[in-house]
Amino acid sequence: MTTLAQMTEDFAFLDDWEDRMRYVMELGKALPDLPEAERTAENKVKGCASQVWLSTHPHEGPDPVIDFAGDSDAHIVRGLVAIVLAAYSGKRASDIVAFDAIELFSRLGLIEHLSAQRANGLRSMIQRIREEAARHLV
């Protein structure tokens, strides 16, 4: 999977919205499929117009590293999931809680071009991940 640093660098070279959206869809195509066993009602993100699933895999400890996996049935949203996972997965719970990915999407030049429904879904994904991380802090 592409790292967040690589994504940020790649977005810096893309000047127009259509190129950015094509890149988002490429990121979505590269996202590993979520196993069918993890496509549960519990893992479904509420507030997304498309179907989005996020699964949480915490390690041990008072401030555990948490790995996330996700998927969507919509191409653009799947790309947004890939960016969210690059931003949060594999980080310590305290860092996840502290990091605002909406600001990241703004820096990448994406947030202002998302429809209201997609922006709300993105916020729901981010909120869900940050809440999951907060629950794992001891």
Side-chain angles (χ1 to χ4, degrees):
M1 224 169 94
T2 308
T3 66
L4 185 58
Q6 183 64 52
M7 288 177 191
T8 303
E9 192 176 302
D10 292 344
F11 274 109
F13 289 104
L14 302 173
D15 292 327
D16 77 10
W17 172 239
E18 289 178 10
D19 289 341
R20 289 174 187 268
M21 280 294 87
R22 273 193 288 278
Y23 183 58
V24 168
M25 287 190 283
E26 285 176 30
L27 292 170
K29 286 178 187 173
L31 185 67
D33 290 333
L34 190 68
E36 199 60 40
E38 293 187 23
R39 290 175 180 255
T40 63
E42 181 180 285
N43 286 341
K44 198 165 184 189
V45 178
K46 292 165 183 54
C48 292
S50 304
Q51 292 192 83
V52 176
W53 299 270
L54 288 170
S55 61
T56 306
H57 307 279
H59 296 254
E60 297 294 319
D63 186 9
V65 169
I66 303 175
D67 296 314
F68 295 96
D71 207 345
S72 176
D73 63 347
H75 295 296
I76 291 174
V77 177
R78 188 173 160 97
L80 298 176
V81 169
I83 297 168
V84 168
L85 294 180
Y88 287 115
S89 191
K91 307 284 190 305
R92 295 215 164 270
S94 59
D95 294 330
I96 293 167
V97 170
F99 183 70
D100 181 8
I102 294 298
E103 191 276 328
L104 166 69
F105 277 85
S106 182
R107 270 187 297 136
L108 295 177
L110 294 175
I111 196 73
E112 63 271 11
H113 296 289
L114 295 177
S115 67
Q117 272 188 320
R118 282 203 179 112
N120 286 339
L122 177 64
R123 285 183 182 86
S124 293
M125 277 191 279
I126 292 167
Q127 179 180 350
R128 163 90 176 268
I129 285 173
R130 292 173 83 187
E131 287 172 356
E132 290 278 337
R135 272 202 304 260
H136 288 90
L137 283 171
V138 175

